[in-house]
Amino acid sequence: MQRNFQLVGTSDGEDRFLIYQRQNLGDSQDFSCGIAYLPRGGPKLMLARYNGPSHEHGNISYRPHIHKASESAIAAGRRADSGATETSRFDSLDGALACLLEDYKVSGLKVQHQQKLL
């Protein structure tokens, strides 16, 4: 299941962003939410992904983790958000979205950390 939100920046309304939530209906631990920058006339840039503990990522073993875009990943020719760090800040899809909204100072969407999407 997926839900998408399109947002605009507050400065002049020209900056556009996409926030998504995804939930695997067969595995409650397999979820992700993310934020991407949508430049006019260019490809989208994933800024961050907040993933559930359904898989391993490098040395992170079945724990929630956050991918954030970095200049070093882009310079190395990798996906901007290829690196990840383990977190204990969320354990549900809506908890992940609540953290993303806090981290990126998004207003207009309301969610509680333990509120379930399903």
Side-chain angles (χ1 to χ4, degrees), residues 44-107:
K44 81 176 175 183
L45 172 64
M46 283 304 301
L47 300 175
R49 292 180 289 129
Y50 293 59
N51 291 344
S54 64
H55 61 281
E56 292 182 353
H57 182 79
N59 62 352
I60 301 169
S61 185
Y62 300 97
R63 300 284 302 146
H65 53 280
I66 300 172
H67 296 262
K68 289 193 176 181
S70 71
E71 184 178 351
S72 61
I74 294 169
R78 297 190 316 264
R79 283 180 55 152
D81 62 343
S82 59
T85 56
E86 186 175 318
T87 186
S88 61
R89 294 176 58 208
F90 59 84
D91 62 3
S92 69
L93 178 58
D94 278 340
L97 180 60
C99 290
L100 183 149
L101 297 177
E102 290 169 9
D103 292 350
Y104 287 85
K105 303 192 181 1
V106 175
S107 61

Side-chain angles (χ1 to χ4, degrees), residues 23-40:
Q23 175 70 61
N24 179 334
L25 297 177
D27 181 354
S28 64
Q29 298 297 300
D30 187 6
F31 61 83
S32 178
C33 70
I35 183 168
Y37 175 59
L38 304 172
R40 296 199 186 277

